[in-house]
Amino acid sequence: MQYTIQALSRLSGVTTRALRWYDKIGLLKPSGRTEGGYRLYGPAEVDRLQDILYYRALGVELAQVKGFLDNPSFDRLAVLRGHLAALEAEQERIQRLIQSVKETIFTQERNEIMSDEKKFEAFKRQFVEEKERLYGAESREKYGDAEVNASNARVMGVTLEQFQEYERLGQEILDKLSAAVSSGADPAGETGKELADLHRRWLTIMGDKYDVQRHRGIAELYVQDKRFIAYYDRERSGCAQFLRDAVACWVK
């Protein structure tokens, strides 16, 4: 069966304007045209649009979606299983959030105070959920669902002291990066070595096994992904680049 752009819009809920944009950027090309020049979409295009919508629901940007779908090694069944796992995780997240709100309402109604342990559990869940929202799709694509799920489970198992140390080290890295860039320090010098060591400790404090190549790969992302650049350069430009260069120099 073939669909006109209007019919596909009604079927999918995607506006005709968005479908035209997808065509323009090469994300979703029509299979053909009518004699009058109107776009036509067949079963393959319907499947591809479904894949696009799954990725978009997970917060993946259009440019990345195109890269995933155009990759010759793209395995639709494997990706769909990954989407299912992510959606089930989101379902669990919402259910936990509902339960947390219910508990909070219950304690408020009984004029009780939620224990610090429960507050910390809720905070860890929020941390994991935010990480999943921001980086989950890419992490699962690169490392697989099992490794990402195991990493999330390790976060849920940390103590309050470990989490506080994680937060403290993260802030120390930001402060030392800002000072290093401000003073014109050399990433290949002692300051760079100190920051590379701090970053290694920060990466493993949640219980993740240390891996040199993964450490270097994460640091490379800091200068490739605008989200990381915005995080590290929020106070002073050049911090993400300094950290990447320090890790490249000292982590071998």
Side-chain angles (χ1 to χ4, degrees):
M1 181 174 181
Q2 289 192 313
Y3 296 89
T4 64
I5 192 170
Q6 289 82 8
L8 185 60
S9 175
R10 289 193 297 270
L11 176 70
S12 65
V14 178
T15 66
T16 56
R17 181 179 180 182
L19 291 172
R20 292 188 183 95
W21 175 247
Y22 291 173
D23 182 7
K24 183 176 181 179
I25 64 176
L27 179 60
L28 181 68
K29 306 292 291 184
S31 59
R33 301 260 180 173
T34 67
E35 291 184 1
Y38 295 105
R39 295 171 177 83
L40 289 174
Y41 299 87
E45 289 70 43
V46 172
D47 286 347
R48 185 174 171 98
L49 180 57
Q50 187 181 36
D51 292 333
I52 292 168
L53 294 178
Y54 285 144
Y55 274 120
R56 293 297 288 152
L58 294 171
V60 182
E61 296 181 358
L62 288 179
Q64 291 177 300
V65 174
K66 186 176 186 303
F68 291 150
L69 297 183
D70 290 345
N71 190 323
S73 63
F74 177 76
D75 184 337
R76 188 168 193 252
L77 182 57
V79 169
L80 286 171
R81 286 173 175 153
H83 289 328
L84 177 60
L87 290 169
E88 287 175 340
E90 177 68 6
Q91 184 181 46
E92 292 176 7
R93 182 191 73 83
I94 292 173
Q95 188 57 48
R96 289 194 301 268
L97 184 60
I98 290 171
Q99 186 60 36
S100 179
V101 172
K102 285 182 177 179
E103 290 177 0
T104 304
I105 291 172
F106 180 75
T107 56
Q108 289 290 312
E109 287 177 342
R110 293 173 60 88
N111 199 28
E112 296 177 350
I113 299 175
M114 184 179 288
S115 70
D116 290 341
E117 289 77 11
K118 284 190 175 181
K119 288 180 181 178
F120 182 51
E121 286 301 310
F123 183 77
K124 286 191 292 186
R125 285 197 298 269
Q126 183 182 17
F127 177 87
V128 168
E129 290 155 8
E130 183 67 6
K131 185 178 71 167
E132 189 74 36
R133 184 182 69 81
L134 291 174
Y135 311 114
E138 295 97 324
S139 297
R140 292 178 183 280
E141 182 76 20
K142 186 171 184 178
Y143 302 114
D145 291 328
E147 185 167 346
V148 173
N149 291 340
S151 178
N152 289 342
R154 285 192 290 272
V155 172
M156 293 303 298
V158 302
T159 65
L160 176 59
E161 291 73 20
Q162 285 175 305
F163 200 90
Q164 288 173 334
E165 179 65 4
Y166 177 84
E167 294 281 280
R168 187 196 67 76
L169 273 178
Q171 187 59 51
E172 183 178 354
I173 289 170
L174 290 175
D175 293 341
K176 287 184 181 294
L177 277 173
S178 182
V181 173
S182 179
S183 66
D186 184 356
E190 285 302 313
T191 300
K193 184 176 185 299
E194 180 186 10
L195 276 161
D197 288 341
L198 282 173
H199 192 249
R200 175 185 55 78
R201 287 171 53 198
W202 181 75
L203 286 176
T204 57
I205 202 166
M206 292 291 197
D208 289 320
K209 184 179 179 181
Y210 182 70
D211 180 89
V212 169
Q213 293 305 316
R214 187 170 184 180
H215 189 178
R216 292 170 67 90
I218 289 172
E220 287 294 333
L221 284 176
Y222 292 169
V223 296
Q224 296 173 4
D225 191 312
K226 62 184 180 181
R227 293 169 296 183
F228 288 116
I229 295 172
Y231 174 78
Y232 282 104
D233 287 8
R234 57 189 177 185
E235 291 187 2
R236 188 173 300 277
S237 179
C239 289
Q241 184 69 51
F242 188 99
L243 182 54
R244 177 265 177 198
D245 292 346
V247 170
C249 179
W250 292 104
V251 176
K252 298 177 181 178

